[in-house]
Amino acid sequence: MAKVKGKVSFQENLCKGCGLCTTVCPVKIITLDTSKINVKGYHPATVNDPNRCIGCANCATICPDVVIAVERE
Amino acid sequence: MTVVFQKTKGLTDNPTHYCPGCTHGIIHRLVGEVLEELGVLDNAIGVAPVGCSVFAYNYFNCDMQQAAHGRAPAVATGIKRVRPDNFVFTYQGDGDLASIGTAEIVHAAHRGEKISTVFVNNAIYGMTGGQMAPTTLIGQKATTAPYGRDEAHSGRPIRISEMLSTIHGAKFVERVAVNTPANIRKAKKAIKECFQIQLEGKGFGIVEVLSTCPTNWGLTPEEAMKWLEDNMIPYYPLGNFRRPEEVE
């Protein structure tokens, strides 16, 4: 079965590191990048395995700061 | 690749001042998306409250006015009556609408003003530092209720949607929550239906949105979403209370 492929992009410097996106990702590929600090002083959310993204937009739906844009193939 | 989600034109590019994980940001976006989808961005006038969302006028990409504490429905009434062709909405929190502004919202609904209200209920006063609100749950701790709200002392939390749905002038009353992506999508649908009712000239509409306050609840954003689901939804049941066709 052909898998739906998605692509998420984060505007890292708008992220407040609340982590809500990490709780709703069905394929669990979003984490807070603890090796990095953005201009606001938070650990920004990042995708560690972009190939597994299915483009469901759950992360963007729950993001309070409109950090995430989602595309789907 | 097709875009399935991008920032709505209904919001400005200003980053919000809200705490991390505050659901005001989600609700702002839903309102902005609905305004854009209904094509009323150029025609809309919003009224911002007092409270955390007092700066809403910086975030919504339409004309905005800011009202005294709780008086957004009164200001919106004035705007709508002078400019009946504009789309007029208020955006209010529970410390604003359910406390000092109860008279305004009840009478705006009672008069059947053709305005729409987005009521954000997070069961606490956010901006002033977590004091007990009329909507604070029994046993819930607040800075002015350090041992938790006591029913014998403060009464039970007020259910605004149920109260307004007994008023003839209120044509649309629905309670939604923004704790999960599914509920967020339902919330958007309710806001859209509410706004459409004003555009069709049918009368007053309100959507109560159960929201979180991770900072003043003393929880992480994730725990706050869970707390909303476990504690708020049982007391404040979700669902529609009133549609225009149900009003005789």
Side-chain angles (χ1 to χ4, degrees), chain A residues 16 18 58 61-62 64 70 72, chain B residues 2 4-5 16 18 25-26 29:
Chain A
K16 292 176 184 164
C18 71
N58 269 3
T61 305
I62 207 162
V70 187
R72 200 185 291 158
Chain B
T2 49
V4 288
F5 190 100
T16 66
Y18 300 118
I26 302 175
R29 195 193 72 231

Side-chain angles (χ1 to χ4, degrees), chain B residues 33-34 37-38 187-197 199 207:
Chain B
E33 285 175 353
V34 169
E37 285 168 21
L38 294 175
K188 182 176 170 183
K189 223 174 130 213
I191 294 170
K192 198 168 191 177
E193 194 178 343
C194 176
F195 283 12
Q196 265 165 340
I197 277 159
L199 291 172
V207 178

Side-chain angles (χ1 to χ4, degrees), chain B residues 65-85:
Chain B
Q65 176 61 270
Q66 202 271 320
H69 203 188
R71 272 63 185 185
V75 172
T77 297
I79 295 172
K80 185 70 181 181
R81 288 194 174 203
V82 174
R83 304 187 66 100
D85 294 334

Side-chain angles (χ1 to χ4, degrees), chain B residues 145-195:
Chain B
Y147 303 110
R149 182 180 183 140
D150 174 15
E151 185 179 338
H153 182 269
S154 315
R156 289 195 185 186
I158 187 167
R159 291 186 177 110
I160 290 288
S161 288
E162 282 84 341
M163 176 174 76
L164 290 182
S165 63
T166 64
I167 295 175
H168 183 261
K171 304 296 189 216
F172 183 87
V173 183
E174 183 156 336
R175 186 185 285 122
V176 294
V178 287
N179 59 321
T180 62
N183 276 347
I184 292 169
R185 291 186 184 106
K186 281 184 206 157
K188 182 176 170 183
K189 223 174 130 213
I191 294 170
K192 198 168 191 177
E193 194 178 343
C194 176
F195 283 12

Side-chain angles (χ1 to χ4, degrees), chain B residues 6 47 66 94 98 102 134 162 183 188 211 229 242 245:
Chain B
Q6 64 181 356
V47 185
Q66 202 271 320
D94 54 314
T102 317
E162 282 84 341
N183 276 347
K188 182 176 170 183
S211 175
E229 190 178 339
R242 179 70 75 76
E245 55 273 18

